Structures are given as structure tokens and as C-alpha cells.
């Protein structure tokens, strides 16, 4: 199989996947989209390619896009449930998994529309990846405060054996 045939085969496989696939560059601009991604976003491929991530996220989440994007590039992967704007005020809840630098400088996201069996928005918990604070009642609170106020759970702290073993403690036997 020559290179032209390989590319033709790749394109056919890419476009026939049931899962939406978006490929973005380092600046969060989409460089490639398969047919499922175009159906999910309700736009033709010519409109999807060239869009910036901030153009498909829901209005209230746009401010956090740059911060989340930098965290994604730093961590190398990200997953979760996220609302997308598909035009005319219509939102679609998606489950996504993204991997950074699949090819250096290109990042791949796999998305699927959330079905009716997925918990409603009220069951979705947003946790800050850096501070472990929880977005609850429109403010960021500690995980312990959230668990106590929302669920009546009191939190205490300890250290798991794996974390303790990883500590570089001086030898106390001498």
C-alpha cells in the first residue's frame, strides 16, 4: 500500500468512527474534524476546521477556556463532561477524553453526546484540578466544606500508605 492509499484508508476510518474526533493545534484551533464531530457540532467540516475552542464552549464557561487549555497541555490528558454550544443558543452535554501531543503540537479530543442515563447537570461536580476546590452554589469551596454542607459528611485527614512511603524522611533508627 502506497502513501496515498494509506491516507485514503485513514480518512475513511476517521470519518466512519461513531465517536466525534477533533484535532487542535497548540493554540486550541481545530485543524481536523471527523464526520461525527461535525454532526455533534451541527456544522459542516469547512466551518469546524479553523474554529477556536472558545467558539464552541457555552457562554458562561469561556473565561476558563485558556486556563483549562494550559492545564490540559501541561497534564497531557483531560476527560469529563462538558457543555458545548452548537449554535442558536442550543447546548449539548458531551463526555470527552482528550490527549495532548498525539503528534507534537497536535492534540486529539474524543467526544460523545451524553445520553439520558448520564446524571443531570445537578449531579455534575466541578473540581479545580489545582486546588481541589469544588464549584458549589456559584462559589468555590473546599472539598471538605462541600461534603459537609451538601451531604452532611464530616471530613478528617490522614495519609495513605503509598504517600507515606514516598516521603523522604530521615532514618530515625540512628
Amino acid at each position: 500500500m502506497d502513501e496515498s492509499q494509506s491516507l485514503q484508508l485513514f480518512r475513511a476510518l476517521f470519518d466512519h468512527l461513531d465517536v466525534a474526533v477533533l484535532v487542535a493545534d497548540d493554540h486550541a484551533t481545530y485543524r481536523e474534524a471527523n464526520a461525527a464531530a461535525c454532526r455533534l457540532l451541527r456544522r459542516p467540516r469547512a466551518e469546524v476546521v479553523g474554529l477556536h475552542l472558545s467558539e464552541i464552549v457555552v457562554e458562561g464557561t469561556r473565561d476558563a477556556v485558556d486556563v483549562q487549555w494550559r492545564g490540559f497541555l501541561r497534564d497531557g490528558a483531560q476527560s469529563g463532561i462538558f457543555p458545548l454550544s452548537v449554535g442558536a443558543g442550543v447546548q449539548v452535554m458531551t463526555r470527552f477524553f482528550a490527549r495532548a501531543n498525539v503528534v507534537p503540537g497536535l492534540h486529539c479530543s474524543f467526544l460523545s453526546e451524553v445520553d439520558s442515563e448520564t446524571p443531570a447537570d445537578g449531579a455534575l461536580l466541578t473540581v479545580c484540578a489545582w486546588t481541589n476546590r469544588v464549584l458549589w452554589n456559584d462559589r468555590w469551596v473546599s472539598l471538605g466544606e462541600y461534603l459537609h454542607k451538601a451531604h452532611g459528611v464530616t471530613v478528617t485527614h490522614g495519609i495513605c500508605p503509598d504517600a507515606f512511603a514516598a516521603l523522604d524522611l530521615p532514618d530515625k533508627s540512628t
Side-chain angles (χ1 to χ4, degrees):
M1 183 180 304
D2 66 20
E3 187 175 335
S4 173
Q5 291 171 316
S6 293
L7 287 172
Q8 191 175 17
L9 175 62
F10 170 77
R11 183 86 225 171
L13 290 170
F14 184 69
D15 277 333
H16 286 87
L17 289 172
D18 289 334
V19 65
V21 182
L22 291 167
V23 179
D25 63 19
D26 285 334
H27 305 288
T29 299
Y30 293 111
R31 299 297 174 202
E32 189 57 76
N34 72 350
C38 296
R39 283 190 303 274
L40 178 70
L41 296 172
R42 293 156 176 83
R43 299 175 190 196
R45 183 177 175 280
E47 287 182 22
V48 174
V49 173
L51 284 175
H52 187 271
L53 172 61
S54 65
E55 295 178 277
I56 63 169
V57 298
V58 174
E59 188 71 37
T61 62
R62 289 184 179 157
D63 292 340
V65 166
D66 287 337
V67 172
Q68 289 176 308
W69 184 258
R70 285 192 305 271
F72 163 63
L73 294 179
R74 180 199 67 222
D75 297 340
Q78 206 171 68
S79 63
I81 296 175
F82 201 79
L84 293 180
S85 175
V86 294
V90 177
Q91 294 181 20
V92 173
M93 287 302 284
T94 60
R95 181 181 316 278
F96 76 95
F97 173 79
R99 175 73 63 187
N101 292 304
V102 173
V103 174
L106 292 176
H107 320 287
C108 197
S109 298
F110 303 89
L111 305 99
S112 59
E113 193 166 345
V114 172
D115 60 27
S116 60
E117 294 178 19
T118 302
D121 287 347
L124 183 62
L125 184 64
T126 302
V127 179
C128 174
W130 283 284
T131 65
N132 280 331
R133 294 177 71 81
V134 176
L135 183 59
W136 184 62
N137 290 338
D138 296 324
R139 56 184 269 262
W140 290 96
V141 298
S142 71
L143 183 58
E145 181 180 350
Y146 165 76
L147 289 170
H148 183 71
K149 289 184 176 179
H151 302 287
V153 174
T154 301
V155 176
T156 187
H157 294 84
I159 186 167
C160 72
D162 292 344
F164 185 76
L167 291 176
D168 187 23
L169 299 174
D171 184 10
K172 296 184 179 180
S173 63
T174 56

